[in-house]
DNA sequence: ATCGAACTATAAAATTACCGTAAAATCTTG
DNA sequence: CAAGATTTTACGGTAATTTTATAGTTCGAT
């Protein structure tokens, strides 16, 4: 489904410019020439994003934004002719999501539109900031969710904690002790068998073959290493490139 | 909980400036003087937002961003000395969430930081009034009314408070502690049995089968999650819920 | 090469932790 | 006080964790 963008601007040539540019980018397009009509369209058509020009003939831009924010949280990008910091701050704190001063490049406008649509709250399974996203594997500690190849994965608490700890240290070798301390606490930092069982269960759920593990590698006598970042080229013998 | 901001910049005076300004705004502050150290801190401390200066000594800013985006979706605000549109577009499409050219006003920077933190996916869906309207379920805290499938529901005070708290965070996992703290207060934030009983009664009144709950899901050992698919109605053409 | 020590993976049993709910006891509120 | 709300107490069921046990692997010394 194409995202719909509502442009509220009183200058016909700007609207025309937007219509062409946004249309070419594959967005569905709506326009209004004043604030009243803009709010009406916002209410009736529920656009996915609003581009709001300040300095409309019928109403102050800040007031318009406030009216909109009474009932909607749709992302709003504000355009203005002036470049006053005071104004920017006021608008952004008043609920605008982004701000662009004229003259602006159309490429930048479109890039910012994309960002706002991309970061739309609650789009995919809503995720928190602590989320680890490896593409194929997404771990969201705030919601205690794991997605593997798009499918949600059900993990017990210890399983989740171990996977999260390993994934937080992706690429790095982590010792048995550090995992045990992090997940079970100081008192159990030598009970490596706890860890073995959880790792075994994790590999089962990740369909990771323990004889040739793709994700959770065993480092005999030391610990485990979680791998997922696509690190192709690095040949096996080359010296450690990182600062260690 | 104070949000934590990580500043990655090689110029000491900028870092100092940031430390003072952001600290004064009540943010928790972390800093790194190069990309390698920045990525390390991002991984180990999980900041809520990152301010990334381009033109770091050890690594290209775009590369740094890409490395970060391999596993994290923490919001990133990029700072740069140049004001080239090409670069802006590249960064924004590469996963940056906002972009600011030097020289910038500190007020604007802080406003943009606030916007990024405010618009995190999965924030409370409050829209002005306190009423939560999920279609099938309407919760009006002002009048202490609940309607379920059109029928009014009689809830005791604690029942109401718990339901309202869960519904305010719909879709998200809320811990036992947070509900207990919100409804019973700090002193009872470990008395999970209170909560179990209220949830049991709520499910009874919502005819929610606890073995396969539709609305209030249990996350063992952690808390609960309120789910309610929003009404799929709003047909594309005629339905006009707004003013006419 | 063979053996054994140290390590690993995992199945299965035993134990424990946690949940849901009923019912009794206590407290609130009108 | 009386009805209703809340807290306390208790118990059965289920799932997670820990314990126990077994089998396979690696590696070095004999």
């Amino acid at each position: 489904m194409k995202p719909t963008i509502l442009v509220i601007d009183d200058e016909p040539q700007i609207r025309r410019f937007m219509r062409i540019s946004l249309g070419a980018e594959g967005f569905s397009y709506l326009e209004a020439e004043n604030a009243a009509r803009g709010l009406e369209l916002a209410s009736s058509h529920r656009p996915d994003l609003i581009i709001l020009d300040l300095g409309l003939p019928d109403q102050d831009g800040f007031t318009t934004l406030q009216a909109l924010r009474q009932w909607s949280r749709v992302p709003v990008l504000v355009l203005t002719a002036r470049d006053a910091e005071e104004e920017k701050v006021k608008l952004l704190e008043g609920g605008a999501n982004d701000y662009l001063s004229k003259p602006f490049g159309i490429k930048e406008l479109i890039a910012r539109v994309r960002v706002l649509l991309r970061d739309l709250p609650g789009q995919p399974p809503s995720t928190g900031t602590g989320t680890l996203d490896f593409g194929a594997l997404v771990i969201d500690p705030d919601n205690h969710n794991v997605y593997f190849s798009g499918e949600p994965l059900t993990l017990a608490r210890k399983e989740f904690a171990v996977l999260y700890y390993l994934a937080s240290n992706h690429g790095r070798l982590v010792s048995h002790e550090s995992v045990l301390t992090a997940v079970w606490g100081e008192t159990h930092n030598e009970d490596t068998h706890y860890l073995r069982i959880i790792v075994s269960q994790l590999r089962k759920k990740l369909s990771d073959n323990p004889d040739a593990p793709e994700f959770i590698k065993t480092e005999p006598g030391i610990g485990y290493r979680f791998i997922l970042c696509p690190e192709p080229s690095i040949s096996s013998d080359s010296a450690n490139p990182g600062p260690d």
Side-chain angles (χ1 to χ4, degrees), chain A:
Chain A
M1 187 54 189
K2 291 199 289 189
T4 302
I5 299 177
L6 168 62
V7 173
I8 309 178
D9 199 311
D10 61 319
E11 296 174 60
Q13 65 270 32
I14 298 255
R15 293 206 304 274
R16 181 162 176 278
F17 178 54
M18 294 279 192
R19 183 165 59 242
I20 294 169
S21 309
L22 294 172
E25 293 294 322
F27 296 114
S28 189
Y29 179 83
L30 276 172
E31 62 180 43
E33 62 180 359
N34 58 49
R37 179 82 184 126
L39 289 171
E40 200 180 308
L41 283 175
S43 166
S44 60
H45 285 74
R46 303 300 164 104
D48 299 291
L49 184 138
I50 295 178
I51 298 176
L52 173 65
D53 185 42
L54 295 190
L56 294 170
D58 61 332
Q59 198 178 46
D60 169 56
F62 187 71
T63 311
T64 309
L65 180 62
Q66 293 243 296
L68 181 72
R69 280 284 174 265
Q70 287 299 311
W71 55 271
S72 172
R73 287 165 64 85
V74 61
V76 172
L77 192 158
V78 172
L79 295 180
T80 180
R82 294 190 297 157
D83 191 10
E85 188 175 9
E86 289 296 319
E87 193 179 61
K88 291 187 193 183
V89 172
K90 185 175 158 198
L91 266 297
L92 290 172
E93 303 211 321
N97 302 77
D98 203 350
Y99 189 105
L100 212 47
S101 308
K102 298 179 191 173
F104 52 84
I106 185 65
K107 294 231 180 88
E108 177 175 0
L109 175 71
I110 287 174
R112 287 190 182 270
V113 163
R114 285 242 175 75
V115 168
L116 290 175
L117 290 172
R118 180 227 294 161
D119 298 337
L120 213 58
Q123 187 63 336
S126 67
T127 57
T129 47
T131 300
L132 296 173
D133 185 349
F134 299 97
L137 181 71
V138 180
I139 308 177
D140 177 358
D142 301 323
N143 287 306
H144 202 254
N145 283 334
V146 181
Y147 297 90
F148 181 59
S149 312
E151 294 296 306
L153 217 60
T154 314
L155 298 185
R157 272 164 300 158
K158 292 278 193 274
E159 289 168 2
F160 189 92
V162 169
L163 178 64
Y164 186 66
Y165 187 80
L166 291 178
S168 303
N169 294 286
H170 59 98
R172 286 197 286 270
L173 167 59
V174 292
S175 68
H176 296 136
E177 288 87 28
S178 62
V179 188
L180 284 163
T181 304
V183 176
W184 279 268
E186 284 287 352
T187 48
H188 292 278
N189 68 351
E190 287 186 343
D191 297 328
T192 56
H193 54 283
Y194 290 0
L195 186 51
R196 278 201 218 102
I197 286 161
I198 297 294
V199 167
S200 168
Q201 288 165 353
L202 276 175
R203 292 212 258 233
K204 202 184 293 175
K205 292 191 179 179
L206 294 171
S207 346
D208 204 9
N209 174 12
D211 297 329
E214 191 184 344
F215 307 126
I216 304 179
K217 310 232 182 206
T218 301
E219 301 277 350
I222 307 172
Y224 294 92
R225 185 194 300 268
F226 180 82
I227 304 281
L228 224 165
C229 329
E231 297 230 33
S233 47
I234 300 180
S235 63
S236 48
D237 61 338
S238 70
N240 187 343
D244 248 84

